[in-house]
Amino acid sequence: MNNLNKIAAISLLAFACFMAPSCKASAEGTDAEVTLHIECEVLPEKTAYHVSVDNELITDGIKVVAEYSDGSSKDVTSECIYEGFDSSAVTAAQTITVWYEEEGELYTTEFEISVYAELLSIQVELESEENFVISRGEELDLSQIKVLAAYDDGSEKYVDGWELAGFRNRLIGLNQEVAIEYNENGTTCSDSIFVDVLYKFSDEPDYLPEGTDGTIGTEGRYVYFGDYPQSLKDSEVEILEDRSIEVGVNTYYLGSDGYYYAPVEKSDGTSYYLVQPMKWRILSETCTGTTDEGDNISGKLLLAEEIYTSSRFADPTGTNVYSESVVRQYLNHDFIETAFTSSAREFMIKPELNNGIHSGGSFPVLEEEVASNIRTDKVFILSMADVSNPDYGFGGPTVEGGRQRYPTNYIVKVGVHSSTTADGKVKAWWLLRTPYGIASNGKPATYGVNSSGTLIDENGKVTQHPINNSSRPGIVPAVVIR
């Protein structure tokens, strides 16, 4: 068929032949009744062409089938011709028309190809020149990222469909290089961003698996809850003085490892201590308390596994009344605001604290505190009855019985009354809230737990008198969580 006849035939068929981009379409003959149509049963193997490089249409693999109204069909691939190919300009969808002639009638179908420029590189564009900063476990805000792709025809365009390669948002550390990868037509290019993944302060209890070791061995149940300075900074960690945050009454500085550190200034200089999760032992699963909304519920009674802080019991006036004590005010203001986020504090409920004559258990309370019941505190210290309770995992009075506690490096440096054992461990005694009475020196006294964990020797009583940091008793805080 010459070109003039072909043009005429195309004109006659134009109103009856519309081909979908899916590459399945039919064309009717000029008869009123359709006798056959053709379709691409299999697309060609090559459907993407490099602009101005691939100058010839490749139809290898294509299969064109003619289907007749009587239900029969045949492969007409070898008899088809193709029109519409042009690789001179980039296009995402170029229509190729497939022609087939039978008994003087023309039938058509279509398929699409793309003409592409080869990807040369990508460049990540950010809203800020600073590193991404996230807390551990958080997701990156990818809306801040734009990726500009460059091609071998000199063109550029912003692209979607790129991916982060191998990013671990639970790995704490600064200047983490994260690859951005983009693939197009079999070519992959990459660029990088840098992310600071910082220590995240805990917002909820993190229950440790059964079998975790602690103050009563692997039989106990333990939980991480809250965050406080504890271990001395490793020498290779650099403190970034220009990156600090205020947490409660403390100022924490970011370290080059992505963790926060609390400074302690002494005459020998400033040292820094790593902020870490605090570990607690579950003493009881059924401790009742009151929520902030006033509801009475049952929660878990937790006791800290270490001596995390220290405080004198009271002012030098010498009271042994816990409701009026300095330590109670400290725990429910400075300590709670520093050790627990606002979200973490929502897990805490307020138990009823009895500090009267019954708070000594089998031990004598020689002077009963008048205001014996407290129902407002989220952080507190235990009574003599509590640390004598075998249901809480404590042994007899004269044995360690799960009561011995060691002070953290941080609180030793800040100040706590402590001693060093023969094997180099630093140990300390800690306060209880139960009043003992008047000691032999005439001063009001409270009970305490001595550094060996026993209760009934003279170190089991704490006289209230003026003390400096070095003689300040240790505090093992307790909380109840829902």
Side-chain angles (χ1 to χ4, degrees):
M1 178 181 292
N2 58 38
N3 289 337
L4 185 58
N5 291 337
K6 182 180 294 184
I7 293 172
I10 293 172
S11 298
L12 290 172
L13 290 171
F15 71 93
C17 181
F18 177 79
M19 313 304 162
S22 66
C23 202
K24 280 197 174 185
S26 65
E28 298 183 5
T30 55
D31 295 336
E33 182 179 351
V34 175
T35 58
L36 71 92
H37 72 275
I38 66 170
E39 65 177 28
C40 294
E41 189 174 274
V42 180
L43 290 176
E45 296 170 359
K46 183 177 179 65
T47 57
Y49 291 81
H50 190 180
V51 64
S52 300
V53 175
D54 297 331
N55 294 317
E56 180 181 352
L57 182 70
I58 306 298
T59 60
D60 294 351
I62 195 171
K63 182 178 181 180
V64 184
V65 175
E67 297 182 347
Y68 297 86
S69 56
D70 63 359
S72 63
S73 64
K74 70 175 180 178
D75 186 340
V76 296
T77 306
S78 62
E79 302 175 57
C80 294
I81 61 174
Y82 306 89
E83 288 190 343
F85 176 73
D86 180 5
S87 65
S88 63
V90 173
T91 178
Q94 183 179 114
T95 299
I96 303 298
T97 303
V98 182
W99 293 90
Y100 168 66
E101 181 181 3
E102 184 173 302
E103 296 182 357
E105 300 294 339
L106 294 174
Y107 303 90
T108 64
T109 188
E110 296 175 351
F111 64 89
E112 288 183 350
I113 65 165
S114 62
V115 180
Y116 66 91
E118 185 171 341
L119 181 67
L120 293 181
S121 63
I122 62 169
Q123 180 178 343
V124 174
E125 296 181 358
L126 304 174
E127 293 182 359
S128 171
E129 294 182 0
E130 302 293 332
N131 283 7
F132 277 92
V133 179
I134 64 173
S135 295
R136 180 178 182 266
E138 292 181 348
E139 298 297 329
L140 286 174
D141 181 5
L142 301 182
S143 65
Q144 301 180 49
I145 299 175
K146 296 173 68 176
V147 176
L148 183 65
Y151 298 88
D152 63 351
D153 66 344
S155 64
E156 294 181 331
K157 68 176 181 180
Y158 290 101
V159 294
D160 298 318
W162 45 267
E163 297 180 345
L164 299 178
F167 175 56
R168 293 183 290 170
N169 64 352
R170 303 192 69 81
L171 181 65
I172 297 174
L174 303 189
N175 296 309
Q176 294 190 36
E177 186 172 6
V178 180
I180 302 289
E181 292 186 348
Y182 176 66
N183 180 279
E184 190 174 293
N185 295 311
T187 299
T188 299
C189 292
S190 64
D191 195 8
S192 296
I193 60 173
F194 290 88
V195 181
D196 293 345
V197 182
L198 308 184
Y199 176 83
K200 178 176 173 57
F201 297 96
S202 60
D203 289 329
E204 60 185 26
D206 179 13
Y207 292 91
L208 300 177
E210 292 188 11
T212 299
D213 198 13
T215 49
I216 58 171
T218 58
E219 297 302 313
R221 290 299 311 278
Y222 305 94
V223 58
Y224 284 133
F225 186 51
D227 311 88
Y228 213 66
Q230 297 176 51
S231 303
L232 182 64
K233 176 184 74 67
D234 288 338
S235 58
E236 65 268 17
V237 175
E238 178 185 356
I239 296 297
L240 308 178
E241 299 283 351
D242 59 339
R243 297 183 68 175
S244 64
I245 58 173
E246 303 296 322
V247 180
V249 298
N250 284 357
T251 299
Y252 294 152
Y253 291 89
L254 189 64
S256 57
D257 56 354
Y259 289 84
Y260 289 104
Y261 291 83
V264 179
E265 296 181 6
K266 294 289 183 177
S267 58
D268 58 351
T270 301
S271 50
Y272 290 87
Y273 293 83
L274 175 66
V275 177
Q276 298 169 269
M278 293 187 290
K279 187 178 179 182
W280 309 73
R281 187 173 96 219
I282 300 174
L283 302 186
S284 171
E285 300 272 356
T286 57
C287 183
T288 57
T290 307
T291 67
D292 289 336
E293 296 75 27
D295 299 323
N296 293 320
I297 63 174
S298 180
K300 299 176 179 65
L301 173 61
L302 310 182
L303 180 67
E305 283 283 274
E306 296 185 270
I307 298 174
Y308 289 116
T309 187
S310 64
S311 172
R312 65 185 190 274
F313 185 89
D315 288 322
T317 53
T319 182
N320 60 4
V321 178
Y322 181 68
S323 62
E324 301 173 3
S325 66
V326 170
V327 64
R328 180 189 173 214
Q329 293 299 314
Y330 164 72
L331 288 175
N332 287 279
H333 291 87
D334 291 358
F335 180 77
I336 193 173
E337 292 171 5
T338 305
F340 303 98
T341 66
S342 58
S343 296
R345 294 197 291 272
E346 292 179 0
F347 282 86
M348 303 163 76
I349 62 177
K350 296 166 283 191
E352 180 175 320
L353 305 176
N354 180 282
N355 212 40
I357 195 168
H358 299 295
S359 68
S362 61
F363 295 87
V365 177
L366 302 181
E367 182 178 302
E368 182 179 0
E369 182 177 332
V370 176
S372 60
N373 292 327
I374 298 170
R375 299 180 178 89
T376 59
D377 295 359
K378 288 188 174 181
V379 187
F380 50 95
I381 53 179
L382 296 185
S383 69
M384 194 66 163
D386 292 331
V387 298
S388 306
N389 187 348
D391 292 338
Y392 290 171
F394 296 119
T398 59
V399 296
E400 186 273 328
R403 285 183 293 263
Q404 191 171 38
R405 293 293 186 274
Y406 296 95
T408 64
N409 297 142
Y410 171 74
I411 206 60
V412 169
K413 190 68 173 181
V414 169
V416 66
H417 182 69
S418 61
S419 59
T420 304
T421 63
D423 59 359
K425 283 188 175 181
V426 177
K427 60 181 183 178
W429 51 276
W430 47 285
L431 280 176
L432 300 173
R433 70 173 189 267
T434 302
Y436 171 76
I438 304 300
S440 57
N441 62 0
K443 297 289 185 179
T446 58
Y447 278 107
V449 179
N450 69 18
S451 58
S452 65
T454 59
L455 297 175
I456 63 173
D457 62 10
E458 286 302 312
N459 284 328
K461 297 186 288 293
V462 184
T463 302
Q464 310 310 319
H465 59 82
I467 53 177
N468 56 32
N469 281 358
S470 63
S471 60
R472 196 161 58 187
I475 301 298
V476 179
V479 298
V480 180
I481 60 173
R482 63 177 79 213

